[in-house]
């Protein structure tokens, strides 16, 4: 733990404490420091900033790897795009993954190219629509109530069984008939040959990597980051009057008193292979259930413009499973029992004085990066007047504290 003496003092005199240095916490911190001149202390339990978007250089290859899974930035939200561009520029990377089914590689998301290849014939958009419409008749026109029905309504049973059923069972270890339809709505289906994964206006990879974004957001004399420290261990030393932004798991905040929310996690098996190009693309999904992993990510393909070794590459196999205690929670399961449990916690959270719950863990939602930043910007706009009016510490005092500036504590 880095905190002692001076930093504890900083905590006592902060205008705002933020639990977690992911995109939600970093956005609020940056706004509070730059827009309102507040003195902010961020407490982060991990040894690095960036939350799940943290990226690092693989030492054996020099290739940037995203430690908690591949992150592609995409948004159609102009406010978020302008905001994030203050801290980075983006490459022109466009995500076009593939999926392997019975030894053959198909383009994802399911598009006209995938459909033609699967049925081994050239189909026009109208012909493909008619073919799929004939197959979706099995639903008898009723509204899909689960992931399987939703998928069949979108692509018909043969494509569902080839590309979705096995992958989804591996990803969620749950029968797709018991999963919410909303999960599959994230995956577009197109009757054109457009094989872009995302349909957003803006897309790309940060030119200097993800961690550099956080470094720039938090490098401010009013922002003090404490790494390797769990807020629950420090809570009793922080005056209750200091406004707190909590981005950790909501059930943990209440000591799991109502029960634990269900999450999925992923095991990442990182390995260096003796070839300059292992799979020719960044992301290769594996649709069949007899392959244990869901996908292989080859990170060098996210940045084709960078120098890289010609004789080796770093790849990561992903094995999803349910998250136990001590695992990183990645995907909220959102079963009906989870949803009613979350509602109980949310009711209690709304009554907690002087604390705001934000980000994916505290709101128990799957949020993309742009949604996380967008919600933090909106929440900040709503809360800033109250927080600034509270005015515990005069701004002049804030500017003289330099001992714990972010650069002195970063790893
Ligand atoms: P986090 O990034 O999780 O940050 C929360 C931080 O709080 C963590 O660092 C945690 O250590 C800290 N914390 C928690 N409890 C405590 C405590 N008690 N004390 C101190 N610190 C604490 N989004 C996209 O837009 N594109 C993608 O391609 C994409 N890919 C993804 C792939 C995977 C595998 C996953 C899991 C997510 C992906 N996302 C993607 C979503 C993206 O990761 C999230 O939008 C973003 O990380 C949410 O930020 P956050 O601040 O809410 O949470
Ligand atoms: N999915 C699938 N086959 C694939 C990719 C995705 O069936 O090749 C399904 C799966 O149920 C997944 C969902 O689509 O959970 C959403 O896909 P996304 O790419 O958003 O997956 P993530 O990795 O974010 O869960």
């Amino acid at each position: 733990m880095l905190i002692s003496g001076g930093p504890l003092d900083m905590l006592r005199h902060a205008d705002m404490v933020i639990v977690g240095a992911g995109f939600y916490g970093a956005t609020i911190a940056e706004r509070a420091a730059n827009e309102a001149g507040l003195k902010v202390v961020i407490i982060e339990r991990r040894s690095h900033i960036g939350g799940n978007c943290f990226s690092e250089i693989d030492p054996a290859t020099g290739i940037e790897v995203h430690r908690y899974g591949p992150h592609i930035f995409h948004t159609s939200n102009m406010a978020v795009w302008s905001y994030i561009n203050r801290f980075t520029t983006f490459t022109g990377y466009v995500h076009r993954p593939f999926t392997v089914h019975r030894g053959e590689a198909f383009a994802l998301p399911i598009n006209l190219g995938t459909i033609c290849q699967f049925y081994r014939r050239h189909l026009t958009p109208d012909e493909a629509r008619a073919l799929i419409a004939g197959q979706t008749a099995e639903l008898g026109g009723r509204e899909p109530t689960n992931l399987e029905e939703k998928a069949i309504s979108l692509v018909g049973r043969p494509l569902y069984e080839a590309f979705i059923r096995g992958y989804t069972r591996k990803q969620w270890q749950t029968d797709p008939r018991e999963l919410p339809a909303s999960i599959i709505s994230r995956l577009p289906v197109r009757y054109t040959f457009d094989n872009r994964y995302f349909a957003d206006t803006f897309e790309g990879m940060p030119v200097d990597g993800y961690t550099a974004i956080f470094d720039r957001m938090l490098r401010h004399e009013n922002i003090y980051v404490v790494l390797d420290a769990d807020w629950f261990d420090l809570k009793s030393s922080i005056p209750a009057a200091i406004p707190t932004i909590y981005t950790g798991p909501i059930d943990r905040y209440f000591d799991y008193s109502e029960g634990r929310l269900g999450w999925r996690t992923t095991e990442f098996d990182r390995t260096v292979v003796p070839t300059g190009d292992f799979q020719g693309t960044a992301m290769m999904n594996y649709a069949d259930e007899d392959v244990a992993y869901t996908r292989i990510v080859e990170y060098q393909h996210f940045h084709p413009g960078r120098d890289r070794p010609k004789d080796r590459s770093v790849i990561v196999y992903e094995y999803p499973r349910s998250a136990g205690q001590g695992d990183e929670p990645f995907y909220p399961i959102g079963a009906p029992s989870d949803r009613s449990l979350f509602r109980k916690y949310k009711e209690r959270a709304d009554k907690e004085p002087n604390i705001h719950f934000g980000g994916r863990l505290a709101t128990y939602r799957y949020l993309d990066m742009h949604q996380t930043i967008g919600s933090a910007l909106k929440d900040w706009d709503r809360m800033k007047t109250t927080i600034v009016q509270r005015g515990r510490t005069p701004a002049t005092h804030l500017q003289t504290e330099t001992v714990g500036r972010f650069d002195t504590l970063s790893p």
Side-chain angles (χ1 to χ4, degrees):
M1 230 198 284
L2 292 169
I3 196 137
S4 67
L8 254 188
D9 224 43
M10 302 276 298
L11 262 175
R12 292 200 190 98
H13 293 106
D15 295 310
M16 182 188 259
V17 169
I18 297 180
V19 184
F23 259 127
Y24 192 91
T27 304
I28 300 273
E30 185 281 325
R31 287 292 70 211
N34 277 309
E35 198 183 325
L38 297 184
K39 182 176 169 186
V40 180
V41 176
I42 304 184
I43 298 167
E44 170 53 62
R45 126 187 116 71
R46 291 171 171 162
S47 58
H48 58 76
I49 53 172
N52 278 356
C53 306
F54 173 70
S55 63
E56 59 193 339
I57 298 298
D58 171 65
T61 57
I63 293 167
E64 180 192 344
V65 172
H66 309 162
R67 189 185 285 182
Y68 304 97
H71 280 69
I72 300 109
F73 199 94
H74 57 96
T75 188
S76 295
N77 181 328
M78 194 60 210
V80 169
W81 184 244
S82 312
Y83 178 75
I84 196 73
N85 273 274
R86 293 186 206 171
F87 311 104
T88 183
T89 48
F90 284 88
T91 67
Y93 177 81
V94 175
H95 196 44
R96 292 191 165 95
F98 290 81
T99 184
V100 175
H101 168 58
R102 294 194 182 151
E104 199 174 336
F106 294 83
L108 266 189
I110 295 173
N111 65 76
L112 196 49
T114 322
I115 301 171
C116 289
Q117 185 182 349
F118 186 76
Y119 288 105
R120 301 256 181 263
R121 57 196 161 106
H122 171 232
L123 293 161
T124 65
D126 287 342
E127 286 166 347
R129 272 182 211 281
L131 176 76
I132 305 294
Q135 295 168 356
T136 61
E138 71 166 275
L139 292 172
R142 65 174 192 282
E143 271 303 297
T145 56
N146 57 53
L147 193 152
E148 175 166 300
E149 289 180 358
K150 180 73 186 173
I152 291 172
S153 79
L154 292 170
V155 295
R157 186 172 284 277
L159 287 163
Y160 161 69
E161 288 182 354
F163 299 122
I164 296 171
R165 188 172 62 187
Y167 187 96
T168 299
R169 277 155 76 132
K170 287 193 287 185
Q171 172 87 0
W172 297 93
Q173 280 166 345
T174 304
D175 191 305
R177 284 170 293 196
E178 281 155 32
L179 288 167
S182 57
I183 293 178
I184 202 68
S185 311
R186 296 213 290 268
L187 207 66
V189 175
R190 297 206 190 95
Y191 289 95
T192 65
F193 286 97
D194 177 4
N195 62 345
R196 277 185 66 181
Y197 201 62
F198 303 111
D200 279 322
T201 316
F202 308 107
E203 182 176 349
M205 281 293 184
V207 168
D208 303 317
Y210 281 98
T211 304
I213 301 180
F214 291 88
D215 198 280
R216 290 171 195 145
M217 289 173 86
L218 301 179
R219 198 168 286 275
H220 188 288
E221 61 183 0
N222 281 5
I223 301 178
Y224 189 101
V225 182
V226 184
L227 297 174
D228 292 314
D230 194 311
W231 176 68
F232 290 98
D233 297 336
L234 302 171
K235 207 175 152 194
S236 58
S237 329
I238 307 171
I242 301 179
T244 300
I245 308 294
Y246 177 81
T247 76
I250 190 165
D251 50 358
R252 182 171 180 215
Y253 180 87
F254 293 104
D255 206 16
Y256 308 105
S257 53
E258 313 275 354
R260 282 175 187 271
L261 289 164
W263 287 89
R264 306 279 305 150
T265 194
T266 304
E267 249 163 57
F268 300 108
D269 180 9
R270 195 190 294 189
T271 176
V272 174
V273 284
T275 170
D277 194 349
F278 177 77
Q279 61 185 19
T281 191
M283 195 185 284
M284 189 64 86
N285 288 6
Y286 285 81
D288 302 333
E289 265 185 287
D290 56 356
V291 179
Y293 41 86
T294 46
R295 61 192 186 191
I296 302 177
V297 180
E298 186 172 16
Y299 277 91
Q300 53 130 326
H301 290 290
F302 284 131
H303 285 280
R306 287 182 182 168
D307 285 343
R308 59 182 171 82
K310 297 283 173 276
D311 60 346
R312 60 199 185 282
S313 186
V314 59
I315 61 168
V316 178
Y317 293 84
E318 295 193 4
Y319 299 89
R321 59 173 172 75
S322 71
Q325 290 182 29
D327 284 325
E328 290 295 346
F330 285 151
Y331 301 97
I333 294 176
S337 56
D338 289 317
R339 291 201 291 273
S340 68
L341 185 55
F342 174 70
R343 276 195 296 275
K344 284 188 197 162
Y345 282 127
K346 170 88 173 68
E347 250 172 53
R348 290 175 62 181
D350 288 343
K351 291 188 194 126
E352 285 291 284
N354 229 9
I355 184 153
H356 170 82
F357 294 74
R360 61 183 200 98
L361 295 165
T363 60
Y364 192 61
R365 275 190 301 162
Y366 183 90
L367 293 174
D368 272 326
M369 291 179 279
H370 65 284
Q371 295 167 319
T372 307
I373 296 166
S375 73
L377 290 172
K378 275 204 177 122
D379 291 350
W380 165 251
D381 274 342
R382 274 195 291 264
M383 73 174 84
K384 67 182 172 196
T385 324
T386 332
I387 290 178
V388 174
Q389 271 168 1
R390 204 178 291 264
R392 288 187 56 259
T393 321
T396 45
H397 169 75
L398 311 180
Q399 268 132 38
T400 56
E401 285 278 12
T402 51
V403 50
R405 282 207 346 232
F406 167 63
D407 44 351
T408 61
L409 284 182
S410 58

